[in-house]
Amino acid sequence: MNSVMLTLIGIAMVALGYLLYSHYIANRVFRLDPDFETPAHEFEDGVDYVPTNKYVLWGHHFTSVAGAAPIVGPAIAVIWGWLPAFLWVTLGTIFFAGAHDVGALWASARNKGQSIGTLSGRYIGGRGRNLFLVVIFLLLLMVNSAFAVVISGLLVSTPTAVIPTWGAIVVALCIGQAIYRLKWNLPVVSLVGVIALYALMILGDRFPIVLPDTILGLTANAFWIVVLFIYAGIASLLPVWMLLQPRDYINGLQLFIGLGILYVSILVSRPEIVAPAVNSNLPEGTPGIAPLLFVTIACGAVSGFHGVVASGTSSKQIDKETDERFVGYFGAVGEGLLALGTIIATTSGFAALADWEEVYKEFGEGGVTAFVEAGGQILNAGLAIPTSLSSTILATMAVLFAATTMDTGVRLQRYVVSEIGELFGRKPNAAVSTLIVIVVTLALSFSTGADGEGGMVIWPLFGTTNQLMAALTLSILAVMLTRKRRPITAIVLPLLFILVMTLLALVTQLGQYWSQQEWLLLALDAIILVCAVWVVLESALALARARNEPEDDETPAESTMKSTK
């Protein structure tokens, strides 16, 4: 098949999803109210609760939830063929991710900006809250540790991306001051910021930064990992308007432009897809497509991490409740388009099937490297961008996606540590919570050696943990909607599908780890499996209770708000 046809079909599908299905979700299911006072206004503090322009907030939300996962997952999953990956990404974005993401924003904003973990205690029960905290902590631990490895690897393998990666921080700090302190015009600030970022890419391409093999006793990769966590720790303590929000916003614009360049290159060069639609010549040892496709591609179809971000930072910045449709659903569309671009690049950016099979010679191969190299070839063929600069653009895209997710991830993990401390009556302050997060994550990173890649040991469990988190979030939404006597089909069907696929994937992986004698993964997989069964029982009980309770026309947050007026 020609890549242009697949591109147009995919874009048309997700565009129709946003134009049509998101309206149903917003108006009929969640009934977003433009007059509802959001937590950003009710608790405005200039640090975490900040009423934000919906376009700026979309940039923060989109880049925070995207990360490297919607590149890594699809770039690995195409080993089963491009058709299954394409269908799961497009349909998952439309019917799963959009409802999940808007719902997480709505549920948190209707409850004073509380996190999904806290909401689980209210709507699922005390045991449910403990379950959520375990799953969220594991998920964030995996994301922060693994993304640091991905970023450091790209900074070493593509040294031309070093200058734009770190220069983006300076650009973001300037943008934060320009928007919030100087009150400059947003479109002008946005244009200048994007130009600055692409100028940094050109500069980086001219002046690559190559580190020596050993720095302070650390390898180049390990050195970057330590620097990344020091930066992320500092960034997590700053007010969101100063760095996190403007960095995510300008990165979101740049990344969307980068996606646009990739898609235009596809339309111009019209490369043929060399990979099979359904691969019948799988390398030895490749697991079956079901259920693992649905956990290999999590981000880009539906992702529990989105619910953590939506309820952790984004819900505290919503200006109007009706903005949740744009921020949540269009954020999911952005990630779906990134996953779609990855599928097309990694199946058509090769000269022939034999070249593609050489890369995909065993399960787990491909990933970010395949995206950068194959996508670079498409950019070169379509727009005559030099191969080196093409690789710099795509590598910087991947790094900035992962880095903005790390920024948010460390801040969110700090919130989780505070919640855990609260359960034991000793809630640590922000600085102590951040220090705990950095120490624990670095300990995992260096647990397997001086290369700092210990986080990759538990990364194989990311997909199942992430999808379990999505099921937990959807279960809360189902209970809330049932109490309000709202339609729940749009939530329950994705919930059931994800639960079944996650349980099957966990059982499948359990057998793999047993045969491979991967005892750590085996133990963690067993814990996650117990949590998955647990959430089925807890959610079923909570739904049964909700059906028998009087109709709940308003949330506790709404009741409190009315009583104070």
Side-chain angles (χ1 to χ4, degrees):
M1 172 180 258
N2 188 275
S3 58
V4 173
M5 183 62 68
L6 194 64
T7 299
L8 294 177
I9 292 173
I11 292 175
M13 288 175 67
V14 297
L16 286 172
Y18 178 72
L19 294 173
L20 300 177
Y21 192 64
S22 71
H23 268 292
Y24 169 76
I25 293 295
N27 298 329
R28 296 292 301 278
V29 178
F30 300 118
R31 300 178 188 174
L32 304 183
D33 181 2
D35 297 323
F36 176 76
E37 184 181 22
T38 63
H41 290 283
E42 187 178 359
F43 306 110
E44 184 174 357
D45 60 5
V47 179
D48 292 316
Y49 293 86
V50 180
T52 304
N53 178 287
K54 69 177 182 179
Y55 299 105
V56 175
L57 183 56
W58 170 84
H60 156 70
H61 183 77
F62 167 53
T63 54
S64 294
V65 301
I71 297 175
V72 176
I76 291 174
V78 292
I79 196 170
W80 288 301
W82 60 261
L83 182 59
F86 172 82
L87 291 175
W88 176 226
V89 163
T90 51
L91 297 177
T93 295
I94 295 167
F95 297 109
F96 289 64
H100 173 278
D101 292 12
V102 176
L105 281 170
W106 169 77
S108 179
R110 284 277 164 165
N111 287 276
K112 300 181 179 293
Q114 293 178 333
S115 72
I116 285 294
T118 301
L119 293 181
S120 65
R122 173 172 295 160
Y123 292 104
I124 305 297
R127 293 189 300 270
R129 182 186 183 187
N130 296 336
L131 166 66
F132 261 83
L133 290 177
V134 170
V135 175
I136 292 172
F137 189 84
L138 277 175
L139 181 62
L140 291 172
L141 189 63
M142 292 177 192
V143 167
N144 292 332
S145 299
F147 280 16
V149 175
V150 171
I151 296 168
S152 66
L154 283 169
L155 293 178
V156 171
S157 65
T158 315
T160 53
V162 173
I163 288 178
T165 294
W166 295 105
I169 298 172
V170 178
V171 174
L173 288 168
C174 293
I175 288 175
Q177 296 296 318
I179 293 176
Y180 289 101
R181 287 284 176 85
L182 303 177
K183 307 296 182 182
W184 287 3
N185 181 271
L186 181 60
V188 173
V189 174
S190 304
L191 179 62
V192 172
V194 169
I195 292 172
L197 282 181
Y198 277 95
L200 286 169
M201 291 184 202
I202 296 172
L203 185 65
D205 189 56
R206 292 284 303 275
F207 301 101
I209 304 296
V210 181
L211 297 183
D213 293 337
T214 305
I215 306 173
L216 302 176
L218 298 172
T219 64
N221 290 70
F223 175 79
W224 280 130
I225 288 172
V226 173
V227 171
L228 283 164
F229 276 114
I230 292 174
Y231 156 74
I234 295 171
S236 74
L237 293 171
L238 294 176
V240 290
W241 67 264
M242 187 177 292
L243 176 59
L244 180 70
Q245 194 186 86
R247 172 176 163 84
D248 290 353
Y249 169 64
I250 199 64
N251 284 344
L253 290 180
Q254 182 273 135
L255 296 169
F256 230 65
I257 291 171
L259 272 178
I261 292 173
L262 176 61
Y263 279 119
V264 169
S265 298
I266 292 169
L267 295 175
V268 172
S269 62
R270 302 175 61 86
E272 288 292 328
I273 295 177
V274 299
V278 178
N279 192 5
S280 58
N281 187 31
L282 291 170
E284 185 178 352
T286 302
I289 186 171
L292 291 184
L293 170 69
F294 304 102
V295 295
T296 301
I297 301 179
C299 300
V302 60
S303 167
F305 182 69
H306 293 201
V308 179
V309 173
S311 66
T313 59
S314 301
S315 66
K316 297 175 177 64
Q317 301 169 61
I318 287 287
D319 183 30
K320 296 180 179 180
E321 188 175 62
T322 47
D323 292 349
E324 292 166 7
R325 172 177 169 258
F326 179 79
V327 174
Y329 201 102
F330 198 64
V333 166
E335 189 175 63
L337 290 175
L338 174 60
L340 175 63
T342 299
I343 291 169
I344 294 169
T346 54
T347 55
S348 64
F350 297 88
L353 176 60
D355 299 309
W356 182 82
E357 289 178 334
E358 179 60 27
V359 172
Y360 288 91
K361 54 191 175 185
E362 65 176 291
F363 183 72
E365 294 295 320
V368 176
T369 302
F371 170 74
V372 171
E373 293 179 357
Q377 293 297 324
I378 293 174
L379 263 60
N380 179 255
L383 299 178
I385 301 175
T387 304
S388 174
L389 181 56
S390 297
S391 297
T392 300
I393 291 173
L394 293 177
T396 303
M397 277 180 58
V399 168
L400 292 181
F401 268 123
T404 50
T405 299
M406 263 192 74
D407 288 358
T408 304
V410 170
R411 184 181 288 261
L412 292 172
Q413 203 168 6
R414 161 166 69 87
Y415 294 161
V416 174
V417 169
S418 295
E419 286 190 53
I420 293 173
E422 207 170 354
L423 290 178
F424 294 95
R426 293 181 176 274
K427 182 178 180 180
N429 61 35
V432 172
S433 297
T434 301
L435 182 61
I436 292 172
V437 169
I438 299 302
V439 169
V440 170
T441 314
L442 281 175
L444 173 63
S445 297
F446 289 93
S447 62
T448 58
D451 59 2
E453 297 190 3
M456 301 308 292
V457 172
I458 61 174
W459 180 251
L461 294 170
F462 169 76
T464 47
T465 307
N466 195 28
Q467 298 305 63
L468 175 59
M469 189 67 233
L472 290 167
T473 301
L474 290 168
S475 66
I476 289 176
L477 297 180
V479 172
M480 286 185 66
L481 292 170
T482 299
R483 285 185 175 185
K484 290 176 172 291
R485 304 299 186 263
R486 305 268 183 88
I488 64 171
T489 303
I491 299 301
V492 171
L493 290 181
L495 168 61
L496 294 175
F497 182 87
I498 292 170
L499 272 178
V500 169
M501 290 302 162
T502 302
L503 286 169
L504 290 175
L506 285 165
V507 172
T508 300
Q509 290 179 324
L510 205 64
Q512 291 176 355
Y513 300 145
W514 176 269
S515 62
Q516 296 166 0
Q517 297 186 344
E518 295 280 0
W519 306 124
L520 174 61
L521 292 177
L522 180 71
L524 290 174
D525 190 279
I527 291 172
I528 297 169
L529 180 59
V530 170
C531 289
V533 174
W534 191 356
V535 73
V536 172
L537 298 176
E538 292 287 347
S539 297
L541 291 172
L543 274 171
R545 290 194 301 269
R547 288 193 186 94
N548 297 322
E549 290 173 351
E551 181 176 350
D552 178 14
D553 289 327
E554 54 189 32
T555 64
E558 292 173 271
S559 299
T560 302
M561 188 177 69
K562 285 186 177 181
S563 66
T564 58
K565 288 186 177 179

